[in-house]
Structure formats: C-alpha cells, structure tokens
Amino acid sequence: LTTVREIYKNIDKYIDSEITIGGWVRSNRDSKSFGFLVISDGSYFEQIQVVYHDTLPEFNKLAKINVGAALVVKGMLVATPNAKQPFEIQATHIDIEGESTPDYPLQKKRHSLEYLRTIPHLRPRTNTFQAVFRVRSLIAYAIHKFFQERDFVYVHTPIITGSDAEGAGEMFRVTTLDPKDVPLNKDGSVDFSKDFFGKETNLTVSGQLNGETFAMAFRDIYTFGPTFRAENSNTTRHAAEFWMIEPEFAFGDLGDNMDLAESMLKYIINYVLENAAPEMEFFNQFVDKGLLERLHHVAESDFGRITYTEAVEILEKNNDNFEYKVSWGCDLQTEHERYLTEQVFKKPIFVTDYPKAIKAFYMKENEDKKTVAAMDCLVPGIGEIMGGSQREDDYNKLLARIEELGMDKKDYDFYLDLRKYGSTRHSGFGLGFERCVMYLTGMSNIRDVLPFPRTVGNCEL
Ligand code: 4AD
Ligand code: MG
C-alpha cells in the first residue's frame, strides 16, 4: 500500500502508474454504470477521489457501500487538471475490508463540535479532528526538536508523587485503600502507612520540583508529560488531565526565561506553518479567520513585557467594564489577561513580578520584598499560556517561606538540599500543551484539542 501523503509528495513518480491505497469512505455517489468514492486514508489532510465502473465484479456492492466503510483500492492514478483535486484513481480492483451501516454517525455534512464530543471514538475521522490531532502531534515534535537542538536533556518526571509542587492542594489522590474499609489513626485521620507506598500520594500537578533536581546536575533540562489538577474549573481552558512542557535551566534569570519562552513559541509557530500547510489553511478558513495572519505577525514581532504593577495601572482604568474589579494584590482573571493582550497590546505579552502572596512558594523574592520574579505569558484568545519564574535559590529564604505557609518541611528536604549543595540562580516555566494547540489552531475549547478529554464531570473512554 502507498499513502495519499506519499502520492502528494511525489506526484510525478505516481501519475499514470498503478497504485494501491487503503482508506475509509467519506462519500459515495453512483450513476448507472459508474460511481465516485471519496476516500480518506488518514495520511494526509486531502482526500482522494476514486472512480469505479460497472466492469468491476463488485460494482453492485460498491454502489451501495456506506460512508465509513474500509476499502483497499487498486487503480491508475490519473491527472485531473480541471477538477478540485489534482488527480484521481481509476479503480481496477476494490476490496471491501469492512462494511459500514446507514446509521454511521458521521454522514457527509457538518456536525457541531458539541455533538462530536459525544462520540470521541469516531470524531478523529472528521476533517476538523484530522487537522487538530495531526497538528497536535507536530507541535509535540517541534517542542522536542526545539529543546534537543539546544542540548536540553529530556527528563521523565514521575506521575505519582508525594509532594504538591504548586502548593495549591488541587490533587487527585492515588491510593490502594479500600473505600469500604479505610484504616484510621487514633485521631480519625486516614492511616496512609497501610497504603501501597506507606504514605499519602497523588498524581503530579507539575514535574518542576523533580525537574529542578536535574537542572542542578545537567544545567538545561525539560519535561514533557501529563499533569493532573483537581481544579473545579468548568471552563473552555481547564482540563483535569493535560500535558505540560517544563524547561528548567541553571545559571539563568527571569530575562533569560522570557527569551527562551519567546523563542520556543516562535519556533513552534514556524514549524507548524511550514509542516502543516493544508491543516493551517483549513483552520484559517473554517475555524478562525485571520489565524494565519496573526501567527505570521507573532513569529516576526517581539512579545510585550510589562510588570504586574504596570498591568494593574492599565487595568484599573478599565474597571467599569470588568466583572472582577482590579486592584494591586489581586490575581488577574481571564477577562483581565485577555483585555491586556487583545485590546492593549494586540500580541503575546509577558507580565512579570507578581505579588508574592498570589504565587507559588518557590518563586524568588524581589528586592522590594513584596513581589516575586514570576512571569506569565498571555496570548490573544486564550490568556495565560505559560507560567514560570526564577526560583528562590537562597536556603534560608526558601525555608522561611515553606514554614510561613505551614507546609511540611520534611516533604521538601530534597528541594532544600538543592539550595544547600551548590545552589545557583535558576529559572524555568511551564507551557500548557493544550493551550498551545488551541492557540495555533484557533480551536476555542480545550475539549476539542484533547484526544480524550477529562474535565469536571466527564471521563469518557
Ligand atoms: O501556571 P502553572 O500552574 O505553572 C506550573 O505548574 C509551574 N510548575 C510551571 C513551571 O514553572 N515549571 O501551569 C503552567 C501552565 C499554565 O500556564 C497553563 O497554560 C497550563 O499549564 N495549565 C493548564 N492547562 C489546562 N488545564 C489546566 N487545568 C491547567 N492548569 C495549568
Ligand atoms: Mg499559572
């Protein structure tokens, strides 16, 4: 078998020769003595038309074949200069490998994304999801390529962990204890010493703390894996299971961190524009008009950079139009983030130096003692796509912060050790992979860029 992608790549080699492809029927239109099948073989965004005549022994069966059936088609590839597609197959033999039935849910019409979410096992067969999931795969590859070309070491941080990296308490517990018979301590709390690991464990919310241990040995590292958050946020941008990319590097500060984040995002955009042209054209036409122009612009211009304090000054002037009013000290909501990046800057921006109280314990305190060396990268249409910081590298300050927040010091002894033995300035960030896919495709719901989304109230398949 060859593939439609292979044919598009080497048209000259295949034209006027015999080829065989395997694929699924997207539509079937028959006349008395011949018919047209449109076949998707999944290898390429474009489909291929197959002409079959009543000279084929299976003609009567083919004339009745349903959308969704799996076929192997052998025939001549001929040029069709006046048609929409540059070529078609004149079939000489067609094997029906798997029939379909008239109740096949994906008929040749536009289905709503809401409906397609109810059939996650079939939606990868539609144009939209063919484009989304191929681009998702390419973005993942581009990210690895970006970091590998820069000699960052890929670290596999654990999924099951004993520490809460973000200190936000939004964890899914991992346990083998029987819910009907949970062992309790004298004070009524759960006795986790009887559990599989002998202690309380969770699914990771971030690989950062483990990543930092490797950055203190390899200098430049990154993680890329699934992360889990039991956030009760039923929005179009939150999932309970999502993928995160977390670079971490020693001997670099917040400015270096922003430079890395900016060049990474530009690299991904350029890679996808170059390697997924038909898919990106499709998104631009049917999902988000203006997407291509915007991405080209982003790839060519500098991101904006402002401090949280400056952002608050801008936002306060627009407080009348916000549901949540802004004042110094408050966390920025999506409406504020989107206002800054969509109305004020009209491009991606970094907001830096947030109040210490609203950021994680590990961020480096600034000289003003009120803010930390944090950065959030905000993009139009989404809001926060990346979050990162320079890390607190002073042993005493970090210990004081851990105690101040009432965290259990012994869970963080390993992390404090990094500040005890050869501590150095170091920084990193987390890119939300799904938000990145949304940004590059123009898809507006995280449920439509995850193959099998897990969100509040939904864990199908
Ligand atoms: O800002 P967050 O919580 O940062 C961290 O986890 C740090 N440990 C990263 C680091 O410095 N190494 O998450 C990072 C990114 C966010 O900017 C967002 O894009 C994404 O992860 N994210 C989510 N994406 C989908 N669903 C959720 N529930 C998400 N929570 C965060
Ligand atoms: Mg964040």
Side-chain angles (χ1 to χ4, degrees):
L1 296 192
T2 182
T3 63
V4 175
R5 177 174 292 271
E6 167 66 13
I7 294 170
Y8 267 90
K9 264 198 248 165
N10 297 296
I11 295 189
D12 291 346
K13 177 173 154 202
Y14 289 102
I15 216 86
D16 295 326
S17 65
E18 183 168 82
I19 56 147
T20 309
I21 61 154
W24 294 270
V25 175
R26 284 294 187 88
S27 69
N28 184 14
R29 188 154 59 83
D30 72 295
S31 278
K32 263 206 180 69
S33 59
F34 61 96
F36 298 101
L37 291 161
V38 173
I39 305 281
S40 161
D41 87 335
S43 71
Y44 194 62
F45 190 65
E46 303 292 345
Q47 290 129 43
I48 195 161
Q49 176 160 280
V50 175
V51 189
Y52 59 98
H53 289 271
D54 59 4
T55 46
L56 295 184
E58 3 2 43
F59 179 80
N60 289 334
K61 259 183 147 180
L62 285 169
K64 287 199 277 297
I65 204 85
N66 286 299
V67 178
L71 307 179
V72 173
V73 177
K74 194 175 185 184
M76 289 290 287
L77 190 75
V78 297
T80 51
N82 301 319
K84 201 170 122 229
Q85 307 298 343
F87 42 74
E88 66 184 20
I89 301 175
Q90 299 276 354
T92 52
H93 187 88
I94 299 182
D95 265 335
I96 302 170
E97 288 215 0
E99 301 255 18
S100 180
T101 49
D103 65 353
Y104 182 58
L106 299 173
Q107 295 301 322
K108 194 179 156 38
K109 62 164 200 163
R110 264 183 101 89
H111 298 283
S112 72
L113 295 171
E114 290 76 15
Y115 169 67
L116 293 171
R117 269 173 230 147
T118 67
I119 45 169
H121 59 305
L122 297 175
R123 70 176 185 170
R125 304 173 183 207
T126 62
N127 285 347
T128 304
F129 290 99
Q130 285 271 304
V132 167
F133 293 124
R134 185 172 300 278
V135 168
R136 184 181 163 110
S137 160
L138 288 172
I139 295 174
Y141 180 65
I143 289 168
H144 280 297
K145 200 158 140 47
F146 174 85
F147 285 112
Q148 296 285 339
E149 280 170 3
R150 284 158 188 74
D151 292 327
F152 280 60
V153 172
Y154 178 28
V155 183
H156 298 101
T157 52
I159 303 288
I160 300 174
T161 167
S163 54
D164 177 3
E166 291 301 297
E170 292 168 332
M171 295 167 304
F172 288 100
R173 186 159 290 161
V174 176
T175 179
T176 49
L177 295 177
D178 182 347
K180 292 192 293 289
D181 185 22
V182 179
L184 297 178
N185 293 313
K186 284 207 183 73
D187 66 359
S189 60
V190 176
D191 180 4
F192 283 105
S193 70
K194 303 274 179 341
D195 203 355
F196 187 93
F197 296 108
K199 64 186 261 189
E200 192 175 342
T201 52
N202 329 288
L203 294 179
T204 186
V205 294
S206 155
Q208 178 193 323
L209 305 193
N210 300 81
E212 279 183 60
T213 70
F214 270 63
M216 288 297 128
F218 287 92
R219 210 187 80 169
D220 300 334
I221 66 98
Y222 70 107
T223 72
F224 189 165
T227 48
F228 306 85
R229 299 215 180 159
E231 263 172 300
N232 204 351
S233 306
N234 204 347
T235 79
T236 54
R237 302 167 314 111
H238 288 88
E241 177 176 326
F242 63 99
W243 285 60
M244 193 158 36
I245 295 91
E246 297 186 274
E248 190 74 34
F249 53 96
F251 306 104
D253 63 15
L254 192 67
D256 301 317
N257 209 12
M258 287 188 276
D259 292 345
L260 181 70
E262 181 168 339
S263 45
M264 178 196 67
L265 201 56
K266 287 177 174 170
Y267 183 97
I268 301 170
I269 291 173
N270 284 323
Y271 186 85
V272 168
L273 290 174
E274 261 171 50
N275 291 280
E279 285 85 356
M280 295 306 287
E281 198 55 58
F282 170 84
F283 292 126
N284 193 52
Q285 206 178 333
F286 296 108
V287 175
D288 180 1
K289 295 212 161 50
L291 175 73
L292 286 180
E293 198 189 319
R294 215 167 56 233
L295 291 177
H296 279 292
H297 177 67
V298 170
E300 281 147 25
S301 53
D302 292 338
F303 291 13
R305 297 184 183 195
I306 54 165
T307 64
Y308 168 89
T309 304
E310 289 163 344
V312 166
E313 279 165 19
I314 297 172
L315 293 168
E316 275 176 332
K317 297 202 183 91
N318 193 49
N319 259 342
D320 288 347
N321 300 315
F322 292 135
E323 186 185 342
Y324 294 95
K325 310 298 168 202
V326 176
S327 62
W328 202 96
C330 76
D331 206 356
L332 301 185
Q333 306 292 324
T334 303
E335 59 173 335
H336 310 132
E337 295 177 340
R338 293 190 57 173
Y339 176 78
L340 286 172
T341 181
E342 288 165 28
Q343 307 294 325
V344 183
F345 283 87
K346 301 186 166 54
K347 62 178 181 182
I349 59 168
F350 290 105
V351 179
T352 61
D353 305 293
Y354 284 77
K356 173 169 141 180
I358 58 170
K359 287 292 183 188
F361 73 97
Y362 51 68
M363 297 192 182
K364 186 173 178 61
E365 191 180 73
N366 286 326
E367 270 166 20
D368 62 15
K369 299 213 187 305
K370 289 192 311 205
T371 61
V372 285
M375 62 168 216
D376 274 7
C377 181
L378 317 178
V379 296
I382 292 176
E384 181 188 340
I385 188 170
M386 301 186 248
S389 65
Q390 186 170 341
R391 318 307 187 188
E392 184 55 77
D393 49 52
D394 181 280
Y395 182 93
N396 291 318
K397 281 189 183 167
L398 184 63
L399 177 60
R401 189 69 181 142
I402 286 173
E403 285 172 344
E404 191 181 0
L405 293 170
M407 297 159 67
D408 197 344
K409 174 177 173 289
K410 72 175 181 327
D411 288 344
Y412 299 92
D413 276 341
F414 78 95
Y415 196 60
L416 285 160
D417 271 359
L418 305 180
R419 279 71 182 167
K420 197 160 141 192
Y421 309 124
S423 188
T424 169
R425 66 181 189 281
H426 64 289
S427 307
F429 63 85
L431 167 69
F433 185 55
E434 284 69 25
R435 293 195 189 169
C436 180
V437 178
M438 290 169 73
Y439 182 53
L440 266 84
T441 58
M443 298 296 287
S444 54
N445 195 316
I446 200 164
R447 293 164 181 79
D448 298 328
V449 300
L450 276 154
F452 303 99
R454 276 87 180 87
T455 50
V456 184
N458 178 64
C459 185
E460 261 189 73
L461 268 192

